[in-house]
Amino acid sequence: MATRTRFAPSPTGPLHIGGLRTALFCFLHAKNNKGDFILRIEDTDQKRFVPGAEEYILESLSWCGITPDEGPSFGGSFGPYRQSERSALYTPYVEQLLMNGYAYYAFDTSDELTTWRNSMQKQGSASPKYNASTRAYLKNSLSLSAQEVEERIQRGDEYVVRFKTPVAGEVRFYDEIRGWIVFQCHELDDKVLMKSDGLPTYHLANVVDDHLMEITDVIRGEEWLPSTPLHVQLYEAFGWIMPKFAHLPLILKPDGKGKLSKRDGDRLGFPVFPIDWYNPVNSSELIAGGYKERGFEAPAVINFLALLGWNPGSNQEIFSLENLVENFSLKRVNKSGAKFDYQKACWFNSEYLKNYTRQEKRNAIIEIFPIAKNRNENELELVFNLASERIHFKHEIKDTIAYLFEKPKVLEGKGVNKAWMKEKVAHLEDCMQRIQDADTDFSAPALENIVKEYIEEKSISFGQILPSLRLSLTGTLKGPSIFDIMSFLGLPECLDRVKLAKKNYKINTI
RNA sequence: GGCCCCUUCGUCUAUCGGCUAGGACGCCAGGUUUUCAUCCUGGAAAGAGGGGUUCGAUUCCCCUAGGGGCUACCA
């Protein structure tokens, strides 16, 4: 049977980076097995529905290159892929459960249950369960007479349908990542399968849909582990073949304890969402920044996320999505939660920047400096390389080497103090004259030769002349090889800048 | 509290009973460089604790401790 995995987020807000990783692992597992990856929107909770969230999920996946084979807006023969559009479909299954004694009606209202739980807690039961031990004391079709049940339903009383957990025994299942896991039935809850609004809960809907959509591997976050025994029992109650289960470790806060949350991102200053998320009612209010807008390359984010919890078993760290597909295996997914390391994410990004193709490099430079389009391709590439080895993000290119395309507005004070001294400036002018007079192709090596000859002749060091040269040309004392910069600038521009610096800055006499 | 999961350098991790415990990020030092960065070389840095099993445990089992998740008519 062909592998089919699904990513089943609920549109209650922006997709969390942890959710993105779950989607990634689902995708990788499916593709590694030449199978299909399905996107299903779990919007059975009307109260928590957030407009725009589904679009956000779609955009995020699309940015990352995780393309569903089936899903809303992708089509497929197992649709619809939004649970809200499948609501009518669940009723027969609930009835089947009811008829076969695997489920029952319960009439307790939420308020009643809350007060009941409170009173139970006062009596020392830390987390009161609605199950075989308490059912008899609550209002349900197991405790009430058949007649009363009938009357309540006829009358239009609100009710839910609960799963009838066996009194005793155990539920065991094999987790592809963790191995065998066992739960005792008496520890389990009679979970609500169908809410009083007639919609199924996640538990029922995901089992029915996974079965109907022929999902073979359920890959989801570890937070679902405690409710898996219920799902297992549901499969058994329906007599359906069970999918394989794999529960992924959680992504934890970089410091302290607990799983990574939006607040951690705000607090520590890094994004926790793939792309920007704006207030659904006031679209001009940015609520949470994204990796994309922060300047991350999607493949870098994917690469980083993949290594958070999974490893190839080798020392390789850089993986394209295709590489990941080839190498991925659930067997090599870790059991323990992984703390989020933003610095490492930045490192991945810088690696991707350096590995840009020639064309990407040229495009990036032209995008940042439109004026650069007059330059030839080799020059554009050189400019990119000059900048990229001292930054982590593409958008940092602009500030690092803006002086290649426009005269520096000011020369930094620290530099002036250090390099704008009488003797040094004299050498600078002298040397510039030498360059001007020379018959040179103005290439970096040629320029370097001229300067080298000059300093040898004058018995001075590079340090006597290069800093002031750099300062007058770029306005700063740091940056790439000054000969590359000069070569790129060209003779007239170099002369112009030196002249300008001479005119605007008083010689430092100290 | 109960249930379930987890536990190797600060962080992400390798190790399928034989280890001088490897790699990466970060950090530190040195080298290259006019400078910053890159790059290269080197360094500090780990098996939670206690019991077993075994000729031999980081690796298998148990206990303790610690961490995490769940404990809704949310997913």
Side-chain angles (χ1 to χ4, degrees):
Chain A
M1 199 154 89
T3 298
R4 289 171 59 82
T5 65
R6 84 320 194 254
F7 176 53
S10 61
T12 54
L15 177 64
H16 185 270
I17 199 84
L20 183 63
R21 192 194 55 164
T22 303
L24 174 64
F25 283 20
C26 286
F27 174 83
L28 294 177
H29 181 71
K31 293 304 161 189
N32 178 263
N33 289 287
K34 309 264 180 291
D36 289 332
F37 169 66
I38 289 97
L39 174 67
R40 186 175 68 223
I41 301 295
E42 308 244 336
D43 54 352
T44 52
D45 186 359
Q46 314 250 288
K47 293 189 284 287
R48 296 213 306 161
F49 177 82
V50 173
E54 182 182 319
E55 289 74 9
Y56 181 95
I57 292 165
L58 256 21
E59 264 180 63
S60 299
L61 293 181
S62 153
W63 179 58
C64 294
I66 303 174
T67 313
D69 295 289
E70 301 168 22
S73 83
F74 293 97
S77 43
F78 295 84
Y81 293 93
R82 252 178 231 109
Q83 287 182 333
S84 59
E85 292 168 13
R86 302 169 67 80
S87 47
L89 177 156
Y90 304 103
T91 322
Y93 294 101
V94 174
E95 281 165 2
Q96 183 186 335
L97 254 20
L98 247 11
M99 194 182 308
N100 296 336
Y102 289 111
Y104 60 91
Y105 296 100
F107 300 96
D108 327 83
T109 64
S110 295
D111 289 346
E112 284 169 354
L113 285 175
T114 307
T115 50
W116 173 72
R117 284 196 187 96
N118 287 341
S119 77
M120 289 291 280
Q121 275 163 3
K122 270 178 201 142
Q123 288 167 45
S125 172
S127 61
K129 290 179 186 57
Y130 199 129
N131 67 7
S133 66
T134 54
R135 291 199 281 255
Y137 313 107
L138 279 337
K139 285 187 283 187
N140 53 62
S141 59
L142 264 21
S143 64
L144 270 22
S145 70
Q147 194 192 341
E148 184 170 358
V149 170
E150 186 59 28
E151 277 173 18
R152 280 173 174 272
I153 292 173
Q154 290 302 322
R155 197 200 302 158
D157 278 12
E158 289 209 330
Y159 65 85
V160 300
V161 175
R162 286 179 181 272
F163 185 74
K164 187 180 169 189
T165 311
V167 192
E170 59 182 34
V171 183
R172 60 172 62 219
F173 58 91
Y174 184 79
D175 184 278
E176 298 297 312
I177 294 170
R178 291 152 209 283
W180 285 101
I181 293 172
V182 185
F183 286 82
Q184 298 302 318
C185 284
H186 67 86
E187 301 282 0
L188 269 21
D189 229 24
D190 287 355
K191 288 289 183 196
V192 171
L193 264 20
M194 183 174 274
K195 298 176 279 185
S196 56
D197 63 4
L199 289 175
T201 58
Y202 168 86
H203 302 297
L204 202 238
N206 104 84
V207 167
V208 170
D209 286 346
D210 283 345
H211 173 254
L212 261 22
M213 294 182 180
E214 297 177 13
I215 300 301
T216 56
D217 298 74
V218 171
I219 300 169
R220 73 233 299 194
E222 189 184 343
E223 70 268 26
W224 291 107
L225 212 42
S227 49
T228 305
L230 169 66
H231 306 158
V232 167
Q233 291 182 96
L234 246 12
Y235 279 101
E236 284 168 351
F238 283 122
W240 292 339
I241 297 169
M242 215 155 326
K244 289 179 178 170
F245 291 104
H247 290 91
L248 269 20
L250 265 17
I251 296 180
L252 276 16
K253 299 178 195 298
D255 58 349
K257 307 140 192 282
K259 59 176 170 180
L260 185 68
S261 71
K262 173 182 178 326
R263 291 190 53 158
D264 298 314
D266 295 343
R267 182 169 56 86
L268 272 9
F270 59 79
V272 170
F273 300 98
I275 57 182
D276 276 355
W277 170 251
Y278 288 91
N279 187 333
V281 292
N282 170 14
S283 61
S284 65
E285 186 198 349
L286 177 68
I287 294 181
Y291 275 82
K292 182 183 177 193
E293 291 79 4
R294 198 39 109 85
F296 277 85
E297 311 289 318
V301 173
I302 289 299
N303 197 155
F304 167 68
L305 246 27
L307 271 300
L308 212 54
W310 171 84
N311 77 82
S314 70
N315 283 339
Q316 187 181 344
E317 294 227 67
I318 303 298
F319 289 89
S320 66
L321 192 56
E322 293 71 34
N323 291 158
L324 289 171
V325 166
E326 277 170 45
N327 290 285
F328 187 79
S329 162
L330 281 177
K331 292 278 172 267
R332 296 209 65 95
V333 173
N334 273 314
K335 297 182 182 73
S336 51
K339 286 188 182 162
F340 193 81
D341 185 354
Y342 182 65
Q343 261 185 328
K344 191 140 187 183
C346 292
W347 175 77
F348 271 107
N349 202 69
S350 65
E351 288 299 301
Y352 274 82
L353 221 48
K354 287 175 202 152
N355 291 331
Y356 261 25
T357 63
R358 295 161 67 88
Q359 196 53 50
E360 284 170 328
K361 290 177 178 180
R362 293 168 191 152
N363 291 345
I365 293 301
I366 292 174
E367 183 193 323
I368 297 165
F369 304 109
I371 196 174
K373 63 178 179 294
N374 306 321
R375 296 292 192 145
N376 75 46
E377 299 193 329
N378 288 339
E379 283 180 311
L380 294 176
E381 206 179 321
L382 174 76
V383 166
F384 184 94
N385 290 340
L386 256 26
S388 68
E389 56 189 37
R390 55 208 82 221
I391 55 171
H392 285 95
F393 298 97
K394 191 165 79 176
H395 60 76
E396 292 173 320
I397 291 176
K398 185 164 186 176
D399 284 348
T400 357
I401 53 162
Y403 51 71
L404 289 180
F405 300 97
E406 56 188 40
K407 292 182 172 56
K409 290 185 182 65
V410 292
L411 310 190
E412 66 181 22
K414 215 165 66 183
V416 173
N417 289 339
K418 212 172 146 191
W420 210 239
M421 261 99 77
K422 191 176 177 187
E423 205 169 300
K424 291 181 177 175
V425 175
H427 277 308
L428 170 60
E429 288 188 290
D430 215 7
C431 189
M432 283 310 288
Q433 188 60 51
R434 185 77 64 101
I435 291 169
Q436 202 178 163
D437 295 342
D439 178 25
T440 169
D441 60 357
F442 224 69
S443 69
L447 290 166
E448 182 167 2
N449 268 333
I450 296 171
V451 176
K452 198 177 272 173
E453 276 171 27
Y454 178 84
I455 63 167
E456 277 166 9
E457 196 181 305
K458 301 283 178 183
S459 295
I460 56 172
S461 67
F462 269 130
Q464 291 298 304
I465 183 163
L466 261 26
S468 46
L469 177 57
R470 176 184 295 282
L471 183 72
S472 60
L473 295 183
T474 71
T476 169
L477 242 33
K478 52 189 183 184
S481 161
I482 193 63
F483 304 111
D484 282 326
I485 293 172
M486 288 176 78
S487 177
F488 183 82
L489 254 25
L491 179 63
E493 181 67 15
C494 287
L495 292 172
D496 208 24
R497 289 190 186 191
V498 170
K499 200 189 292 174
L500 209 62
K502 191 74 201 318
K503 185 178 139 205
N504 292 340
Y505 289 85
K506 233 173 63 187
I507 301 292
N508 183 2
T509 49
I510 307 159

